[in-house]
Amino acid sequence: MEKVTVPLGARAYDILIGHGTLPTLGQAVAATGLEGRCVVVTNPTVGALYEQPVLAALTAAGFSASVCRVPDGERFKTAKWLGRIHDHLLEQGLDRHGFIVALGGGVVGDMAGFAAATFLRGIPFVQVPTTVVAQVDSSVGGKTGVNHPRGKNLIGAFHQPRLVFMDMAVLATLPRRELLAGMAEVIKYGVIADRAFFDYLRGHVAAILALDPQVMARVVGRCCAIKAQVVADDETETSGRRAILNYGHTVGHAVEAVTGYRRYKHGEAVAMGMVAAARIAHKLGRLDARAVAAQVDILEAFGLPVALPRGMDPNRVVAALGHDKKAAQGRVKMVLASAIGQVELVPLAPDEIGRLLA
Ligand code: NAD
Ligand code: GLY
């Protein structure tokens, strides 16, 4: 099993990446010092596939575990369903020695993590991410939360997990579109931090699409290592360093908002946003044309969209940019690449972004 550590002092934790390792989850959790009672939070889709092996692994290691299912979907990542998780924890008599196991994609992970952050003023939790997005991004770094009718992820807390445990074999059941959307976030790491990794991805498209266990472990491991370092440098996104993880997200979020969060997977919108950011950087004289083309090529190789949706009114995208929760004094800090593997934060007014997008 590959191990990446998130170096956060007293709150440091390991990310364990293996293949076919779900039966060893209980031992890995026990090794962190957790004991007693836990609640596995999942959804019906993931639960039907993996809840039994997870429960078996936990009970075999001496834990007493129950399951709390929330409905499958971003629209259920709400205060209401967070409350249902709290209800279940209370019904099970979980006390401050108990813990949560988040089994699923980013929706389950964010919401279960926030339940852990808020229950009895904070209990530990373990992430068992089952999508590519969750494995390379949402399960690492401690951002937890739920959506509010006024926007995504507006209610939340930083709460680091005690352990992130990944069995890459679970990706075999992940719908193809989810796998591809997750690859946008993977490619993002190459652009923001590691040219050699970007080139590795270009050379291993077929192996990744075939879910080659060794290649996938290396890919996910490298993403986690990059994220772990960024999170260690700027855990609560105060210095600006952590904001580099939002490469492609400025325009991506705007596209998601304009299309009502229904038409595109988040990763698909991020793919469009990465190309938009690359073109903007090129127009500003910051990035050469070859680096733009390289991003377009690799995103297309993974079947991801690279152009804004046909017929989409750019004015609506610009209007949505203004609502970006990271906007300050009317300017959006956009992450722009100066080369593959190197990015900077550049404050731009939404109108300016609109002009550069045209
Ligand atoms: P998701 O959690 O909705 O999962 C996608 C779909 O795949 C769901 O239908 C799910 O039931 C299904 N699924 C999950 N694992 C499966 C498996 N192994 N086999 C079969 N089906 C499976 O979506 P996601 O892309 O994982 O996560 C998106 C969420 O993550 C968003 O809410 C986003 O805000 C959040 N996010 C958070 C962070 C963070 O830092 N906390 C970072 C990125 C994204
Ligand atoms: N997904 C962005 C972050 O964790 O900061």
Side-chain angles (χ1 to χ4, degrees):
M1 220 183 306
E2 191 175 331
K3 182 170 96 172
V4 175
T5 299
V6 186
L8 285 170
R11 283 168 292 103
Y13 54 94
D14 290 337
I15 302 163
L16 301 179
I17 303 163
H19 191 93
T21 47
L22 218 45
T24 66
L25 171 68
Q27 292 147 250
V29 173
T32 67
L34 290 171
E35 52 187 20
R37 190 174 288 227
C38 67
V39 169
V40 178
V41 178
T42 190
N43 71 29
T45 313
V46 179
L49 292 163
Y50 303 113
E51 166 187 303
Q52 283 314 318
V54 162
L55 282 176
L58 290 166
T59 40
F63 296 104
S64 149
S66 70
V67 174
C68 173
R69 284 185 175 187
V70 290
D72 186 355
E74 182 74 40
R75 69 183 189 285
F76 302 107
K77 191 177 145 183
T78 58
K80 173 180 160 185
W81 284 97
L82 173 74
R84 297 283 175 88
I85 299 173
H86 287 149
D87 292 346
H88 182 98
L89 300 175
L90 289 167
E91 281 155 20
Q92 292 298 313
L94 218 73
D95 61 18
R96 299 207 57 190
H97 302 291
F99 64 97
I100 288 176
V101 176
L103 172 67
V107 167
V108 162
D110 279 13
M111 192 153 57
F114 191 41
T118 44
F119 187 70
L120 304 178
R121 300 193 178 86
I123 60 170
F125 79 115
V126 171
Q127 288 273 20
V128 184
T130 61
T131 64
V132 173
V133 168
Q135 292 180 341
V136 302
D137 194 354
S138 61
S139 67
V140 176
K143 279 190 181 176
T144 70
V146 294
N147 300 328
H148 185 275
R150 292 198 186 182
K152 272 186 75 176
N153 298 326
L154 292 181
I155 313 299
F158 286 98
H159 187 54
Q160 300 293 343
R162 188 66 71 86
L163 172 72
V164 183
F165 185 96
M166 299 178 195
D167 179 350
M168 305 297 291
V170 302
L171 296 181
T173 55
L174 189 65
R176 183 81 163 177
R177 192 172 167 197
E178 299 291 350
L179 170 71
L180 298 179
M183 285 312 296
E185 301 282 3
V186 170
I187 294 162
K188 173 191 84 177
Y189 285 105
V191 180
I192 64 172
D194 189 342
R195 180 172 189 126
F197 180 58
F198 185 89
D199 290 340
Y200 179 85
L201 295 174
R202 290 210 284 189
H204 290 82
V205 175
I208 291 167
L209 293 177
L211 294 176
D212 178 287
Q214 271 163 10
V215 172
M216 283 309 286
R218 182 161 171 189
V219 166
V220 171
R222 184 65 195 130
C223 295
C224 289
I226 294 170
K227 179 148 188 185
Q229 194 50 58
V230 172
V231 168
D233 291 344
D234 181 19
E235 185 182 2
T236 53
E237 207 165 321
T238 40
S239 76
R241 177 74 184 150
R242 186 162 178 164
I244 69 167
L245 298 171
N246 296 328
Y247 182 64
H249 286 58
T250 304
V251 171
H253 279 154
V255 169
E256 282 185 286
V258 169
T259 52
Y261 298 96
R262 278 188 295 271
R263 183 159 161 198
Y264 296 104
K265 303 273 166 211
H266 174 67
E268 294 166 349
V270 168
M272 294 177 215
M274 283 169 61
V275 175
R279 295 211 165 112
I280 287 173
H282 180 60
K283 284 187 183 166
L284 291 172
R286 293 170 163 270
L287 185 67
D288 65 39
R290 276 200 352 214
V292 180
Q295 291 178 67
V296 171
D297 287 352
I298 191 167
L299 290 165
E300 282 189 326
F302 283 103
L304 289 160
V306 293
L308 291 189
R310 197 174 307 190
M312 177 175 281
D313 180 354
N315 292 324
R316 291 186 68 200
V317 177
V318 172
L321 287 172
H323 298 139
D324 192 307
K325 69 175 187 257
K326 294 181 179 77
Q329 287 146 8
R331 285 159 91 80
V332 178
K333 278 194 179 160
M334 211 168 161
V335 186
L336 296 182
S338 43
I340 301 291
Q342 212 174 305
V343 285
E344 288 161 338
L345 286 185
V346 181
L348 292 170
D351 284 353
E352 205 175 349
I353 297 175
R355 258 188 298 108
L356 290 161
L357 273 176

